[in-house]
Structures are given as C-alpha cells and as structure tokens.
Amino acid sequence: MIRKAVIPVAGLGTRLLPLTRALPKEMLPIGDKPVIEHTIRELVDSGIDEITIVTSARKELVQRHFAPDADLERELRAAGKDEQAEAVAELSSLAHITYLYQNGPYGNGTPVLNAARVIGDEPFMVLWADDVFVAEVPRARQLRAAYEATRAPVLALMPMAVEDASRYGVPIVEEDLGGGRLRISGLVEKPRPEEAPSRYAAIGGYVVTPGVVAELEAATRRWHDRPEGEIYLTDALHRHAAANPVYGQVIDGDWWDTGTPLNYLRAQFAAALADPVHGPELRKLARES
Ligand code: G1P
C-alpha cells in the first residue's frame, strides 16, 4: 500500500525565467489553482495524503499557500465572507504536509533520496509539480494501481511525438502487457529523436521502491568520492531495471505540461476552457477571436 508521496520543488525553474524569478514555477496558476495545488489534490483524490515537499529557501510561497491562517479566517468570517473562510480552512487541512530542505548534490535524485531517508523502508510516490492531468481516474491512482499489481517501481508515461524526445526520459520497452502497462528494461534521458528507444515520455510521476533508493544511495556515495555530475532519478531507475522488474504505465487522461512557455500558455488556455462556470463564455470568446 502506498501512503506517502514526495514532491520536489527545489528546482530553479530556469525554462520559465523571468516569470519565475520571484514566483516559484510550482505556484504558477493553471485555471484557479497553482500547479502544486493540482498535484496535491490529485494525490489526496488517490488516497495519498502524507506528503513531503522537498523545498528551498526561495520557495517559501509554497509553504504559505498551504499554511493555516486563523487570523485571515477570523477576518473573513467577521466580514461575512464565510465561503472564502471555508476555502482557506479547507486548503490548510487538505493533506499532512511536511517540508524538508534539500541537502546534497544537484539533480532530481537528491530530493528523492533526502525524503526517502525520512520516509524509511517503504515504497512511495514521487510527482514533479509541473504537469497537470485531467483524468477520470487521477494519474496518481493509476500509478498506484500499477504498483499494487506489479510490486515493482512504476513510471507514468504518455505517448509523445518523437521530435520531443530530447525533453524527456524515454523508456526502453521490453513487453506490452496490455491496459497501458509496459515492462521496461531501462530509460534513456533526453535522447536525440533518432536515438529515442520508444515513443513514450516519462512524465514526472514515479513509484519509487527501496531498491531504487539503494541506487540513489550508491550514486551519492560515488559522487562523494568524485564530486562531479548530478544525481538523477532516471539513472537510478535505469540501473535498477538492469537486474529487476520495472514497469511503465501509460496514463489515461489529458496531459497539460507546464514546463515551457508555450506549454504553460496552452495549459492555461485548456484550463480556462474547461472551467465549469466560466468555460462556456470563454469558448465563445475563443471562437470570436
Ligand atoms: C525530468 C526527468 C525526465 C522526465 C521529465 C518529465 O526532467 O529527468 O526523465 O521525462 O522530468 O517532466 P526535467 O524536466 O526536470 O529536465
């Protein structure tokens, strides 16, 4: 059973600068919520509410967004704004969130290892807060189901156009097991299109097991002997897959990637059109323009 998740937010968000100079990329709004709130709601909707956010001093707005604020609630209630007071209260009681400050070499494996040392010897989910999924069954629930069926590390995958390969980890597919489940024997990080081993992108959702954490520990020991390069989750999964089963789960749903300026605008556009209250009006506007 997976009860815990890790969301690393310590990255610099360089692809979206200068927009992300003061505003963490995880706090950029998609529709009426910042990206990270979508991520946390997705986890909670999937039955996972013990969440570790691995953060840095630059990202204090993330903490502030989810922090309880009794003074604000009281002021809102005094002003008769009960609905807004409820919204503030709901946000701060959404999940059990703990914050951890990143410590160690650069690379996206380090926050995962930092959190694993606190979580201990159990599998957990890792989500990057830069994709939003609109799916009948949340992405995290689909990933969890794949772990429960395989008891092995699982990566969330989406089909991609081959020319996008150099932006993603691309899995080496061994066997298609049906239902979007693939057995994979490794991953190539950001290959050139002509070298992409498949037409799937790893999209920032993983179930990490103690075996994968052991690979991150080993990589960090090697890094301490020779402090060069960065520690990547993709490398740890790739090494683990050489001798152990690892699976991919193609996610059933709509994927809004927010990681580049164009994709971020697309995600905002799609979220605006999908808004249950304002969507119809905005669709009219889009048709007229
Ligand atoms: C990371 C991973 C990559 C994955 C991507 C998904 O890369 O290393 O394998 O496909 O996230 O968003 P980044 O986007 O941090 O460079």
Side-chain angles (χ1 to χ4, degrees), residues 26-273:
E26 298 78 9
M27 288 301 294
L28 294 175
I30 298 293
D32 60 355
K33 298 176 187 65
V35 182
I36 192 162
E37 189 184 328
H38 287 283
T39 312
I40 287 188
R41 287 187 187 274
E42 175 188 341
L43 286 166
V44 172
D45 289 346
S46 306
I48 300 171
D49 69 351
E50 289 186 48
I51 299 167
T52 302
I53 295 181
V54 186
T55 189
S56 79
R58 289 172 195 266
K59 303 273 174 125
E60 64 172 34
L61 281 183
V62 172
Q63 237 149 307
R64 230 190 284 163
H65 186 66
F66 296 104
D69 191 338
D71 289 343
L72 177 60
E73 271 180 56
R74 209 174 307 117
E75 277 171 40
L76 287 168
R77 285 193 204 285
K81 295 182 174 163
D82 285 329
E83 210 178 300
Q84 285 88 339
E86 290 304 324
V88 171
E90 194 254 350
L91 195 54
S92 60
S93 56
L94 201 54
H96 304 286
I97 304 177
T98 49
Y99 295 89
L100 199 72
Y101 280 83
Q102 169 143 351
N103 187 14
Y106 279 112
N108 65 25
T110 294
V112 177
L113 179 57
N114 287 172
R117 285 174 177 158
V118 178
I119 288 175
D121 200 21
E122 61 179 284
F124 57 90
M125 196 167 291
V126 177
L127 295 185
W128 309 150
D130 51 23
D131 308 293
V132 174
F133 278 84
V134 182
E136 213 166 290
V137 179
R139 163 190 54 172
R141 191 177 283 275
Q142 295 181 43
L143 264 182
R144 207 185 79 176
Y147 169 77
E148 279 161 9
T150 61
R151 301 276 148 187
V154 187
L155 289 89
L157 303 176
M158 281 304 267
M160 64 160 188
V162 72
E163 55 273 20
D164 290 337
S166 55
R167 289 179 40 218
Y168 298 107
V170 179
I172 306 165
V173 177
E174 261 321 281
E175 194 184 350
D176 187 337
L177 302 165
R181 194 157 303 155
L182 306 171
R183 202 165 67 75
I184 69 172
S185 58
L187 278 158
V188 183
E189 182 69 2
K190 306 196 172 100
R192 292 208 305 260
E194 58 278 20
E195 281 158 13
S198 69
R199 297 285 177 97
Y200 293 104
I203 43 140
Y206 309 83
V207 175
V208 168
T209 60
V212 176
V213 173
E215 291 293 349
L216 289 171
E217 290 280 11
T220 306
R221 277 197 301 277
R222 287 193 296 275
W223 186 91
H224 279 292
D225 289 342
R226 283 177 74 103
E228 58 193 34
E230 303 182 351
I231 308 291
Y232 278 106
L233 184 56
T234 299
D235 290 340
L237 283 160
H238 181 71
R239 283 175 184 265
H240 187 76
N244 303 277
V246 171
Y247 295 88
Q249 179 65 46
V250 182
I251 301 299
D252 190 8
D254 289 337
W255 170 34
W256 301 342
D257 169 10
T258 64
T260 65
L262 176 62
N263 285 347
Y264 174 56
L265 290 175
R266 270 198 193 128
Q268 275 185 328
F269 191 53
L273 297 183

